């Protein structure tokens, strides 16, 4: 009897987000449940990264209102909660874009995030694929109420490949978690506290680890940039292409950012939430900048909402052939294919042997 | 004369040392408690109605009963001695003068919670108190109150003292736990709560120094007897660290039956306002609770006498009330400038924000800059509304209560002293020369003691 119970699928929790009800397994966060619904219901996330343990809860952009805690305890939660770090309960009712409180708080968070952000998008390599840019377009205001000088930092080279532009950082801690979880020894972290906290290495060390290049991919803004790509091109002028190679260190599945035959940049492939699918190694990312290094699979899918989709064609669609239908199922004969189709043209007839202009009788060999 | 149960022996010569403390009835609570069942000790604390003395006022017995008890996983008790709230210095007094009271309370509480390794996380600036506590722990150990097999009950307990490194945020319980583990003191995201996953992911209870010290009289007197002190749900005694414009600043033990007026003006406590000045405002519970003008401080909005109890001080919510908080009682006379005071607090919170979550990290800095402008004569009228908007968007949207603590003083200052802010904006030059003064905040009926 007990075994039978075990075999049953775990009870699913019913959760209603913005009046849409779905069933998710217990232990799912509100954010991930909302992502299953997709679209606008999914709250934006600047610091949460599903592949990184312990991430999330910091940026406060994913705040949602819990109108009812669960069926067992239908009281609403007193404060807005970070959806990335709050798990669903059975019968929970969540309001995201349907709650004015949430929209107001989110606007506030975006204002706070942009307070000390330099907004140097025109010269920032991340522009076009920047999560903060997207968020500001959705929730930001057209002007700032901040009248003071913004916090600035010196740029730092973290080794030969990565440059840290701390001024743009929003302290999401993603790079710290990445280094912690995919490299053996983390050499960078957050120094100082408050609004003068900064991402830094311990005494100007360089980040050298085979996988450390991934911190560039997880960075939601342009704080960590690829030195092999800096100022080379705008991302929306390049064309993302899926490619792979046999890599002894990583899966070798990457995205090439090309212009013509030239590979400008190599990144990991990302899913629809902008999260890396497979971590890639530094060799693939920084050293293999030749088309010959890669087996190209084809153009990557780019969301049509992204600026990168401008001038980017994933495939050519040929118009449907309707001739057969029109001809009642008979295949059309190609008129120009005279050697095989035409009755007038017979290879057996030597045209040069005919004296004067040819006449149909000349071809009527049956005679 | 109010009843004292914590500091009643603090004046005895040499009470800091074990022999004198023991002679004066010390460690009787340990003797009594270790003969009881741990659950019975928790029950006594529940009966006593003791509320956390660190600021939030959560019932201690209830907190203790929440602790998870999985098999084979050690549990921990952590004493929060990271007393960094501006205006609060009650724990310092207690630890410095009767350290054995805390040690005794810790042993009893460790027994109740089943903690074999108990930690005191003390703020780094209290460097000399670390020595006092270490000394007291050594004495207790030498006399068999700590270590292996205490009083032949088979209960082992060690107390470790850990120094902080100078961060206010490490007084928040989860940041304290992170710091205790040797990490950066960033508050954790709850849930899981420390009662389930605390120090090294083990069930943990974090309590304030005064709370744990209060366990000693609870055991000695019995929970029900202790609950008879005080009024309603504010049972027992509370240490109040009074400072500011009063004649006798210092740490007072009150039994929560006296009124705020009596506390400020009676000679037994603060002794009134010096130099013939009048009372302007007061922060009754440490820097993060809302400031109250004199008229709302002495009487509630309903016209009742405001008492020094948890309920009475928070009567009227944040609109017309405040909080008991940690008992940092800061009194302002008519010469104090509320704008300057708010700016000073904003500067403090900006400096102490851990920088983890964006509203607090960016918002505290923004508020400080605006307040600086207003204070130094370059403020605009729209800045006041802007401040209100910023604090509203910080409050409740952060990971830990530091965001709220930074927002409340600003909100309360604007709520009650808006005309003083406006005066600063309208009279930028005059505001540099003199203070706004008393205006209409003063309580007309108050006794002016010369």
């Amino acid at each position: 009897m007990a075994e039978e119970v075990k075999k049953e699928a775990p009870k699913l929790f019913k959760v209603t987000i913005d009046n849409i009800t779905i069933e998710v397994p217990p232990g799912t966060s509100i954010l991930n449940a909302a992502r299953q619904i997709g679209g606008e219901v999914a709250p934006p996330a600047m610091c949460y990264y599903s592949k990184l343990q312990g991430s999330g809860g910091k940026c406060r952009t994913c705040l949602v209102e819990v109108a009812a805690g669960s069926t067992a305890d239908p009281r609403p939660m007193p404060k807005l909660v970070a959806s990335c770090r709050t798990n669903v309960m059975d019968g929970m009712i969540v309001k995201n874009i349907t709650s004015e409180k949430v929209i107001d708080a989110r606007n506030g968070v975006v204002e706070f995030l942009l307070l000390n952000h330099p907004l140097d998008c025109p010269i920032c390599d991340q522009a076009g694929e920047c999560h903060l840019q997207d968020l500001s377009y959705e929730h930001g205001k057209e002007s700032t109420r901040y009248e003071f000088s913004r916090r600035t930092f010196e740029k730092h080279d973290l080794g030969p490949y990565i440059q840290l532009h701390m001024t743009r950082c929003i302290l999401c801690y993603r790079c710290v978690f990445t280094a912690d979880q995919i490299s053996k020894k983390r050499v960078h972290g957050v120094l100082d506290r408050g609004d003068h906290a900064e991402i830094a290495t311990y005494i100007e060390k360089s980040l050298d680890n085979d996988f450390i290049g991934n911190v560039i991919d997880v960075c939601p803004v342009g704080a960590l940039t690829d030195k092999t790509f800096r100022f080379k091109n705008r991302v929306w002028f390049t064309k993302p292409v899926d490619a792979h190679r046999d890599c002894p260190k990583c899966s070798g599945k990457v995205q090439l950012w090309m212009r013509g035959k030239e590979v400008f940049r190599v990144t990991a492939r990302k899913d629809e939430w902008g999260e890396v699918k497979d971590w890639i190694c530094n060799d693939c990312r920084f050293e293999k900048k030749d088309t010959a290094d890669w087996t190209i699979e084809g153009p990557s899918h780019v969301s049509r909402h992204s600026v990168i989709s401008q001038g980017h064609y994933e495939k050519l669609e040929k118009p449907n052939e309707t001739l057969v239908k029109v001809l009642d199922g008979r295949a059309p004969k190609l008129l120009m294919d005279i050697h095989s189709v035409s009755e007038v043209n017979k290879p057996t007839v030597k045209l040069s042997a005919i004296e004067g202009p040819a006449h149909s009788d000349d071809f009527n060999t049956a005679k | 004369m109010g009843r004292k149960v914590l500091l009643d022996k603090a004046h005895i010569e040499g009470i800091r040392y074990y022999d004198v403390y023991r002679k004066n009835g010390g460690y009787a609570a340990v003797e009594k408690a270790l003969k009881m069942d741990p659950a019975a000790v928790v029950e006594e604390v529940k009966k006593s109605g003791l509320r956390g003395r660190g600021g939030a006022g959560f019932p201690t017995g209830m907190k203790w009963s929440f602790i998870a008890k999985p098999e084979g996983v050690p549990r921990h008790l952590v004493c929060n001695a990271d007393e960094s709230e501006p205006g609060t210095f009650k724990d310092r007094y207690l630890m410095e003068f009767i350290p054995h009271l805390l040690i005794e309370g810790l042993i009893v509480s460790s027994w109740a919670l089943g903690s074999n390794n108990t930690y005191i996380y003390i703020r780094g600036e209290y460097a000399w108190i670390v020595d006092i506590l270490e000394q007291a722990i050594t004495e207790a150990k030498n006399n068999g109150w700590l270590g292996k097999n205490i009083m032949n009950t088979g209960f082992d307990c060690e107390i470790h003292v850990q120094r902080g490194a100078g961060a206010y945020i490490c007084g928040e319980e989860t940041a304290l736990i992170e710091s205790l583990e040797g990490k950066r003191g960033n508050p954790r995201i709850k849930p899981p709560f420390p009662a389930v996953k605390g120090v090294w992911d083990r069930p943990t209870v974090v309590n304030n120094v005064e709370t744990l010290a209060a366990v000693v009289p609870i055991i000695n007197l019995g929970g029900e007897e202790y609950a008879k002190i005080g009024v309603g749900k504010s049972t027992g005694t509370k240490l109040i660290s009074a400072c500011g414009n009063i004649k006798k600043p210092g740490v007072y033990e009150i039994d929560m039956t006296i009124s705020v007026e009596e506390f400020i003006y009676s000679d037994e406590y603060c002794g009134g306002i010096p130099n013939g000045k009048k009372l302007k405002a007061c922060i009754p519970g440490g820097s993060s609770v809302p400031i109250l003008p004199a008229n709302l401080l002495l009487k509630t909005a309903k016209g009742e006498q405001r008492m020094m109890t948890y309920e009475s001080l928070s009567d009227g919510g944040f609109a017309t009330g405040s909080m008991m908080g940690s008992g940092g009682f800061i009194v302002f006379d008519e010469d104090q400038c509320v704008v300057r005071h708010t700016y000073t607090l904003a500067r403090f919170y900006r400096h102490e924000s851990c920088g983890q979550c964006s509203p607090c990290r960016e918002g505290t800095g923004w508020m400080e800059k605006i307040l600086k402008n207003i204070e130094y004569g370059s403020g605009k009228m729209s800045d006041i509304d802007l401040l209100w908007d910023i604090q509203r968007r910080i409050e409740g949207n952060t990971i830990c209560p530091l965001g709220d603590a930074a927002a409340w003083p600003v909100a309360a200052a604007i709520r009650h002293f808006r005309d003083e802010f406006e005066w600063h904006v309208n009279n930028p030059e005059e505001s540099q020369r003199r203070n706004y003064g008393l205006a209409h905040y003063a309580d007309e009926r108050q006794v002016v003691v010369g």
Side-chain angles (χ1 to χ4, degrees):
Chain A
M1 186 64 196
E3 280 176 12
E4 275 175 41
V5 176
K6 265 185 195 172
K7 275 175 193 168
E8 272 177 39
K11 193 181 169 291
L12 293 177
F13 280 175
K14 219 175 233 175
V15 53
T16 306
I17 307 171
D18 283 345
N19 303 324
I20 302 169
T21 305
I22 54 160
E23 288 190 334
V24 291
T28 311
S29 66
I30 297 174
L31 183 87
N32 280 331
R35 279 183 176 184
Q36 287 181 24
I37 299 172
E40 283 193 315
V41 176
M46 299 297 291
C47 66
Y48 173 76
Y49 213 76
S50 60
K51 273 107 192 149
L52 297 173
Q53 233 183 351
S55 68
K58 301 188 192 320
C59 69
R60 318 307 281 180
T61 52
C62 69
L63 289 174
V64 291
E65 185 183 339
V66 177
S70 64
T71 318
D73 181 8
R75 284 177 304 172
M77 289 190 186
K79 290 180 182 177
L80 302 181
V81 297
S83 60
C84 59
R85 292 293 293 264
T86 311
N87 286 351
V88 296
M89 302 295 287
D90 199 19
M92 189 185 255
I93 297 171
V94 180
K95 284 178 170 182
N96 178 24
I97 49 171
T98 47
S99 161
E100 275 178 32
K101 246 166 95 187
V102 170
I103 299 295
D104 181 57
R106 201 168 284 159
N107 290 350
V109 170
V110 174
E111 186 173 24
F112 287 134
L113 285 175
L114 292 177
L115 218 56
N116 278 305
H117 191 80
L119 285 171
D120 56 347
C121 309
I123 55 149
C124 176
D125 282 301
Q126 191 84 3
E129 52 177 16
C130 175
H131 291 210
L132 187 60
Q133 214 176 17
D134 297 344
L135 190 72
S136 319
Y137 270 100
E138 271 173 53
H139 298 280
K141 290 212 176 70
E142 63 280 358
S143 64
T144 179
R145 300 187 285 175
Y146 189 66
E147 296 173 341
F148 307 92
S149 56
R150 285 158 200 256
R151 169 189 62 209
T152 51
F153 292 91
E154 293 284 305
K155 285 175 205 161
H156 283 301
D157 277 345
L158 306 177
Y161 299 123
I162 304 169
Q163 194 177 62
L164 170 65
H165 201 121
M166 189 55 214
T167 310
R168 294 174 185 152
C169 179
I170 58 162
L171 285 169
C172 69
Y173 283 64
R174 276 182 188 174
C175 59
V176 181
F177 285 115
T178 307
D180 240 356
Q181 288 165 27
I182 65 168
S183 71
K184 284 209 180 74
K185 208 173 173 194
R186 168 161 71 87
V187 293
H188 82 286
V190 178
L191 298 187
D192 234 319
R193 65 179 180 224
D195 57 1
H196 41 281
E198 60 176 312
I199 300 282
T201 52
Y202 184 61
I203 319 176
E204 299 282 312
K205 265 190 189 170
S206 66
L207 301 182
D208 55 346
N209 179 285
D210 278 341
F211 281 84
I212 203 68
N214 288 301
V215 296
I216 299 167
D217 277 348
V218 299
C219 185
V221 293
L224 290 163
T225 47
D226 181 344
K227 275 172 79 179
T228 62
F229 179 63
R230 273 176 73 81
F231 306 129
K232 291 263 173 68
N233 221 313
R234 308 280 1 188
V235 283
W236 56 88
F237 291 142
T238 59
K239 291 180 182 180
V241 169
D242 284 345
H244 66 266
R245 70 181 266 265
D246 264 343
C247 179
K249 287 178 185 162
C250 66
S251 68
K253 286 179 184 164
V254 301
Q255 206 168 21
L256 305 180
W257 299 75
M258 305 179 72
R259 198 164 174 188
K261 279 186 177 174
E262 208 178 335
V263 177
F264 273 84
R265 167 172 92 137
V266 184
T267 66
R269 294 183 196 173
K270 294 186 178 177
D271 62 16
E272 58 177 318
W273 309 108
E275 292 184 5
V276 166
K277 286 180 186 163
D278 289 304
W279 306 111
I280 62 167
C281 66
N282 283 6
D283 275 357
C284 288
R285 184 186 300 270
F286 301 117
E287 305 292 350
K288 306 290 176 190
K289 292 287 182 88
D290 195 343
T291 323
D293 294 328
W294 299 98
T295 311
I296 289 175
E297 295 165 16
S300 341
H301 172 71
V302 179
S303 159
R304 68 186 177 85
H305 300 291
S306 165
V307 69
I308 301 169
S309 70
Q310 299 296 309
H312 177 72
Y313 304 104
E314 278 169 41
K315 53 188 175 186
L316 278 175
E317 282 204 6
K318 288 180 184 167
N320 280 339
E321 285 292 355
T322 52
L323 224 54
V324 179
K325 230 186 211 170
V326 175
L327 291 174
D328 299 328
R330 281 177 291 136
K333 288 175 182 172
L334 292 180
L335 294 174
M336 298 303 289
D337 195 7
I338 53 172
H339 288 286
S340 60
V341 180
S342 172
E343 284 174 2
V344 265
N345 190 6
K346 302 235 164 132
T348 47
V349 178
K350 282 187 177 170
L351 294 173
S352 57
I354 304 167
E355 286 175 17
H359 187 266
S360 62
D361 288 343
D362 293 327
F363 297 98
N364 202 348
T365 48
K367 273 187 182 171
Chain B
M1 187 80 184
R3 189 164 171 193
K4 290 183 180 178
V5 291
L6 292 173
L7 301 181
D8 53 343
K9 292 170 200 146
H11 63 281
I12 298 171
E13 183 77 26
I15 194 80
R16 183 184 287 175
Y17 304 102
Y18 174 79
D19 294 338
V20 181
Y21 184 74
R22 178 70 176 146
K23 237 179 258 169
N24 284 284
Y27 289 96
V30 180
E31 283 174 323
K32 193 175 170 190
L34 263 62
K35 287 184 190 124
M36 292 160 72
D37 189 55
V41 178
V42 176
E43 201 49 48
E44 284 299 314
V45 175
K46 266 190 184 169
K47 268 190 229 162
S48 74
L50 176 68
R51 292 171 69 170
R53 303 294 197 227
F58 191 79
T60 307
M62 206 191 279
K63 189 175 192 171
W64 285 11
S65 60
F66 286 156
I67 190 168
K69 290 178 178 162
E71 278 296 306
V73 181
R75 299 186 286 276
H76 293 288
L77 171 68
V78 179
C79 170
N80 184 348
D82 192 85
E83 183 185 49
S84 325
E85 182 108 337
T88 309
F89 45 88
K90 60 185 177 66
D91 296 345
R92 181 179 85 184
Y93 187 89
L94 206 145
M95 290 187 288
E96 189 171 351
F97 293 103
I98 28 174
H100 280 286
L101 186 68
L102 174 62
I103 305 299
E104 191 179 354
L106 279 170
I107 299 167
V108 174
S109 311
S110 300
W111 166 253
L113 295 163
S115 159
N116 301 116
N117 280 294
T118 295
Y119 298 88
I120 301 175
Y121 185 94
I122 186 163
R123 79 182 281 206
E125 290 87 339
Y126 286 176
W128 75 101
I129 299 178
V130 177
D131 299 336
I132 295 171
L133 287 174
E134 296 272 13
Q135 161 88 18
I137 290 168
T138 315
E139 283 178 340
K141 208 168 180 178
N142 291 342
N143 289 286
W145 302 112
L146 279 171
K148 297 238 175 278
N149 195 14
I150 302 164
M151 286 174 58
N152 296 319
T153 51
F155 176 61
D156 305 337
C157 184
E158 291 288 346
I159 297 177
H160 311 273
V161 183
Q162 173 66 43
R163 279 183 65 184
Y168 171 66
I169 189 61
C170 290
E172 198 275 340
E173 60 177 357
T174 52
L176 185 148
I177 289 168
E178 286 276 299
S179 178
L180 192 61
E181 290 178 4
K183 299 180 198 152
R184 183 185 159 83
N186 276 359
R188 290 179 183 171
I189 295 146
K190 293 183 248 185
F193 287 91
V196 181
K197 273 186 172 186
V199 184
W200 298 292
D201 285 353
R202 296 163 180 171
T204 305
V205 165
V206 184
N207 274 135
N208 180 259
V209 172
E210 192 191 337
T211 316
L212 291 167
V215 172
V216 175
I218 288 171
I219 296 302
N220 282 337
L221 298 170
E224 278 168 24
E225 191 62 30
Y226 183 86
K228 285 177 189 162
I229 313 171
V231 175
K233 281 183 180 172
S234 302
T235 59
T237 62
K238 174 90 185 82
L239 297 183
I240 303 284
S241 53
C243 62
N245 301 112
I246 43 174
K247 281 189 182 165
K248 290 161 60 190
V251 178
Y252 296 98
E253 184 172 2
I254 59 159
D255 62 3
M256 298 209 258
T257 51
I258 60 165
S259 68
V260 176
E261 194 169 351
E262 187 188 344
F263 184 72
I264 296 177
Y265 290 108
S266 79
D267 284 334
E268 194 191 336
Y269 299 107
C270 302
I273 317 287
N275 307 325
K277 303 280 183 188
K278 284 182 183 170
L279 174 70
K280 178 178 185 180
C282 172
I283 301 176
S287 67
S288 48
V289 310
I291 187 171
L292 280 182
N295 50 354
L296 283 174
L297 178 73
L298 304 176
K299 298 252 174 194
T300 63
K302 293 177 215 151
E304 291 160 6
Q305 180 97 340
R306 204 183 279 278
M307 308 295 286
M308 293 289 280
T309 63
Y310 284 95
E311 288 77 29
S312 184
L313 280 173
S314 54
D315 185 88
F318 279 2
T320 59
S322 186
M323 273 169 86
M324 173 66 104
S326 56
F329 198 83
I330 311 170
V331 180
F332 296 77
D333 72 11
E334 56 191 287
D335 284 349
Q336 305 309 316
C337 173
V338 171
V339 178
R340 173 138 204 113
H341 152 74
T342 313
Y343 164 57
T344 310
L345 285 187
R347 207 173 55 185
F348 172 78
Y349 287 110
R350 183 219 185 152
H351 184 69
E352 297 296 346
S353 166
C354 79
Q356 197 181 192
C357 57
S358 19
C360 175
R361 178 183 68 230
E362 307 291 352
T364 50
W366 195 5
M367 290 199 300
E368 188 227 308
K369 286 173 186 168
I370 295 173
L371 281 163
K372 189 179 179 185
N373 268 0
I374 299 178
E375 165 63 17
Y376 287 105
S378 50
K380 292 197 299 286
M381 205 50 100
S382 60
D383 283 347
I384 301 169
D385 289 326
L386 182 58
L387 272 177
W388 184 265
D389 205 42
I390 299 169
Q391 69 81 19
R392 181 177 65 83
R393 281 173 162 174
I394 298 175
E395 192 206 335
N397 290 343
T398 54
I399 294 174
C400 79
L402 194 138
D404 301 343
W408 291 341
V410 176
I414 296 177
R415 188 182 293 123
H416 300 304
F417 299 92
R418 195 180 173 107
D419 49 352
E420 186 159 350
F421 280 85
E422 287 173 356
W423 179 78
H424 261 259
V425 172
N426 288 330
N427 305 288
E429 280 174 22
E430 198 185 351
S431 68
Q432 303 305 297
R433 288 198 308 273
R434 71 168 185 95
N435 281 320
Y436 186 59
L438 211 50
H440 59 88
Y441 313 126
D443 183 35
E444 294 300 324
R445 298 159 292 102
Q446 75 186 336
V447 201
V448 181
V449 187

